[in-house]
């Protein structure tokens, strides 16, 4: 399945990390992951056109536009694509379904977004509301900042962008457009043409596209490093049985458990360096997990059922060579991804920081979505060891860590 088809079905409420396409995408998905990195390399090398959007760390996700059923303006959260679409057209609608900070933000969106003249339906992320924008010094430089979630966004004070942010009541970044005669049939496409929106001094309305891609060229050293990773990825890919990848694709529960195991390392900020050792630890993790399941069952039949599940997993991976190769392929894809992320981070015009109890720490963007204009596919590229670790770490202060915030 092409990613463009995937986002149509999922309505862009969830996107798989590029390295996890090895777990969920079968042979085709794994090939697409490698090809997506090649495509991004070519974009950054000026060899063909493509677009890259920045994943802004806003909250909550906001949908806004015209309800095709009655032509009235609405705002919504992800419940817009429920079997019975949940959209809000009045403060009373919002009060009936939400509370606290979410309710406040949805009401602000409902109040200010109609001025943009949105046609159809677009999706974005809420960045700030009244009282969220501050002027402060970080590393000796004066910035206008807002802190919607994990990342602190900082715009140099005195710039035109900083003035616009200070003036606006709310900030929204848009990234996806939906078209269709009903919510159920809408198709998603990446990007929002903000030039078609009216301007409003009350709304700092941005699209998520990264600018100046045409001026970006990778150095020969950077290109050679990425090429080496991609060549290695292709070689490892050929060592993994297609039937193994197909079986994982068909057993989403098993794939999810492997991702869950990997995430135990992501949350600790630990880099995987030895894929064979990682595979052995994964099997040990499965054994410990199912031992708890077995011990919790009172009947012999229940215990036998859980034991059979564990035996099936152990048997599936056999001598663990295939599992180790899967982890090694993921590791190399991540190395290529991180190299490309480091290049993309040089193109941004908004600085990003993490707030700690000891001050601010420089960091990159949450991530990027690369859109291949030739193939039509899109894929999420995130530095999970940096951003995901920060997202889960109690050492990093989040935007919601404020007195009185619910």
């Amino acid at each position: 399945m092409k990613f463009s088809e995937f986002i149509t079905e999922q309505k862009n409420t969830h996107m798989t990390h590029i390295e996890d396409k090895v777990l969920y995408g079968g042979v085709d998905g794994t090939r697409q992951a490698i090809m997506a990195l090649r495509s991004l390399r070519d974009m950054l090398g000026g060899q063909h056109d493509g677009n890259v959007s920045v994943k802004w760390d806003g909250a909550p996700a906001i949908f806004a536009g015209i309800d095709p059923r009655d032509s009235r303006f609405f705002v919504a959260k992800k419940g817009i694509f429920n079997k019975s679409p949940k959209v809000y057209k009045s403060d009373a609608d919002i009060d009936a379904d939400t509370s606290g900070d979410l309710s406040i933000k949805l009401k602000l969106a409902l109040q200010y977004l109609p001025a943009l003249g949105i046609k159809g339906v677009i999706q974005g992320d809420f960045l700030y509301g009244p009282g969220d924008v501050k002027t402060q010094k970080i590393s000796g430089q004066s910035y206008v900042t807002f802190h919607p979630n994990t990342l602190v966004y900082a715009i140099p004070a005195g710039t035109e962008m900083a003035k616009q942010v200070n003036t606006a009541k709310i900030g929204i970044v848009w990234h996806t457009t939906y078209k269709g005669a009903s919510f159920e049939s809408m198709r998603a496409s990446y990007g929002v043409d903000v030039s078609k929106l009216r301007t409003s001094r009350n709304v700092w309305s941005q699209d998520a596209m990264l600018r100046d891609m045409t001026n970006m060229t990778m150095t020969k050293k950077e290109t050679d490093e990425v090429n080496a990773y991609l060549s290695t990825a292709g070689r490892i890919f050929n060592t993994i049985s297609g039937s193994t990848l197909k079986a994982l694709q068909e057993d989403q529960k098993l794939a999810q458990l492997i991702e869950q195991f990997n995430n135990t390392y992501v949350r600790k900020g630990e880099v995987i360096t030895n894929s064979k050792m990682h595979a052995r630890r994964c099997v040990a993790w499965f054994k410990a997990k199912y031992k708890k399941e077995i011990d919790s069952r009172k009947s012999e039949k229940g215990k036998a059922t859980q034991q059979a599940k564990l035996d099936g997993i152990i048997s599936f991976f056999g001598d663990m060579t295939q599992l180790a190769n899967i982890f090694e392929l993921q590791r190399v894809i991540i190395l290529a991804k991180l190299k490309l992320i480091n290049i993309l981070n040089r193109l941004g015009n908004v600085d990003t920081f993490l707030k700690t109890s000891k001050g601010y720490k420089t960091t990159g963007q949450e991530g990027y979505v690369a859109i291949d204009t030739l193939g039509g596919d899109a894929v999420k590229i995130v530095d999970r060891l940096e951003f995901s670790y920060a997202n889960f770490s109690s050492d990093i202060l989040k935007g919601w860590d404020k007195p009185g915030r619910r």
Side-chain angles (χ1 to χ4, degrees):
M1 180 180 289
K2 286 191 172 184
F3 198 83
S4 54
E5 295 169 347
F6 177 81
I7 62 171
T8 298
E9 291 190 2
Q10 297 299 319
K11 299 294 194 298
N12 197 15
T13 57
H14 175 75
M15 196 188 304
T16 304
H17 288 277
I18 188 169
E19 63 270 21
D20 286 339
K21 289 176 80 69
V22 178
L23 301 178
Y24 296 106
V27 172
D28 287 343
T30 304
R31 184 179 292 112
Q32 287 167 16
I34 296 172
M35 294 302 294
L37 292 173
R38 289 179 181 173
S39 179
L40 181 55
R41 172 204 62 191
D42 292 343
M43 288 181 212
L44 291 172
Q47 294 185 36
H48 76 70
D49 291 335
N51 295 315
V52 175
S53 68
V54 179
K55 281 184 60 58
W56 286 71
D57 183 36
I62 292 284
F63 296 78
I66 304 301
D67 187 333
R69 298 169 298 184
D70 60 11
S71 299
R72 293 176 60 194
F73 182 84
F74 74 91
V75 297
K77 47 192 179 69
K78 292 181 180 179
I80 183 177
F81 296 119
N82 289 349
K83 188 173 182 180
S84 298
K86 191 176 290 291
V87 299
Y88 312 115
K89 299 171 184 176
S90 68
D91 285 358
D93 290 343
I94 296 170
D95 286 334
D97 190 53
T98 67
S99 62
D101 195 55
L102 175 60
S103 175
I104 292 170
K105 288 178 177 179
L106 287 170
K107 288 178 181 178
L108 288 167
L110 186 62
Q111 178 181 356
Y112 293 115
L113 293 183
L116 301 183
I118 298 169
K119 307 295 183 185
V121 177
I122 57 179
Q123 178 186 351
D125 292 304
F126 195 100
L127 297 176
Y128 65 85
D132 292 334
V133 176
K134 306 182 184 308
T135 300
Q136 57 190 134
K137 281 196 173 182
I138 302 176
S139 299
Q141 182 170 346
S142 182
Y143 287 101
V144 170
T145 68
F146 47 90
H147 189 186
N149 210 339
T150 300
L151 297 182
V152 177
Y153 291 97
I155 301 165
T159 62
E160 183 59 32
M161 184 183 292
K163 294 175 184 176
Q164 293 172 358
V165 168
N166 262 325
T167 300
K169 298 290 192 300
I170 63 172
I172 304 280
V173 60
W174 304 107
H175 53 71
T176 307
T177 298
Y178 295 89
K179 293 182 179 179
S182 67
F183 291 126
E184 294 80 6
S185 65
M186 283 184 177
R187 299 179 63 84
S189 60
Y190 274 90
V192 174
D193 188 353
V194 294
S195 68
K196 293 183 178 180
L197 301 180
R198 294 198 293 263
T199 58
S200 168
R201 68 191 308 272
N202 291 321
V203 184
W204 189 62
S205 178
Q206 303 288 305
D207 66 38
M209 300 311 296
L210 195 62
R211 304 303 182 200
D212 300 323
M213 285 287 291
T214 55
N215 297 327
M216 186 65 222
T217 4
M218 295 168 63
T219 66
K220 183 179 184 305
K221 180 182 177 183
E222 290 168 338
T223 302
D224 289 344
E225 288 175 346
V226 173
N227 286 342
Y229 288 136
L230 293 178
S231 177
T232 301
R235 177 179 56 77
I236 299 169
F237 181 31
N238 289 330
T239 69
I240 302 173
S241 167
S243 60
T244 299
L245 293 173
K246 182 180 179 182
L248 270 179
Q249 183 182 21
E250 292 175 349
D251 189 347
Q252 295 288 284
K253 176 64 175 177
L254 178 57
Q256 288 168 4
L257 287 172
I258 295 173
E259 183 186 3
Q260 184 181 337
F261 166 72
N262 284 338
N263 282 342
T264 64
Y265 288 82
V266 171
R267 293 184 183 192
K268 293 185 289 187
E270 292 186 11
V271 179
I272 306 306
T273 57
N274 187 323
S275 295
K276 291 182 179 179
M277 177 66 74
H278 194 61
R280 289 194 291 271
R281 289 173 176 169
C282 181
V283 171
W285 181 83
F286 271 112
K287 289 179 177 178
K289 180 178 181 63
Y290 276 94
K291 185 178 185 304
K292 289 182 181 179
E293 294 293 334
I294 292 167
D295 292 344
S296 69
R297 299 306 193 270
K298 294 182 179 180
S299 70
E300 289 303 316
K301 182 178 179 181
K303 291 178 184 292
T305 298
Q306 295 305 312
Q307 183 64 54
K309 289 181 180 180
L310 174 59
D311 292 343
I313 292 171
I314 302 302
S315 174
F316 174 71
F317 290 117
D319 63 0
M320 292 188 290
T321 299
Q322 290 289 291
L323 181 58
N325 287 345
I326 285 172
F327 286 145
E328 182 65 9
L329 178 54
Q330 286 189 299
R331 188 183 74 84
V332 174
I333 286 174
I334 289 169
L335 290 173
K337 174 184 76 170
L338 293 178
K339 174 58 68 173
L340 292 167
I341 285 174
N342 287 338
I343 296 166
L344 289 167
N345 280 340
R346 302 202 297 251
L347 296 177
N349 60 354
V350 177
D351 294 334
T352 48
F353 298 91
L354 296 172
K355 187 177 182 180
T356 75
S357 57
K358 298 179 181 178
Y360 289 91
K361 174 186 174 185
T362 302
T363 190
Q365 295 285 349
E366 176 190 349
Y368 301 90
V369 176
I371 305 108
D372 185 350
T373 57
L374 297 180
D377 292 338
V379 68
K380 178 167 68 172
I381 300 174
V382 174
D383 182 350
R384 293 169 90 176
L385 285 180
E386 176 78 12
F387 181 77
S388 298
Y389 170 74
N391 199 30
F392 290 112
S393 173
S394 59
D395 296 331
I396 305 300
L397 302 179
K398 310 303 190 294
W400 59 83
D401 293 330
K402 300 176 183 178
R405 189 112 175 232
R406 290 181 290 170

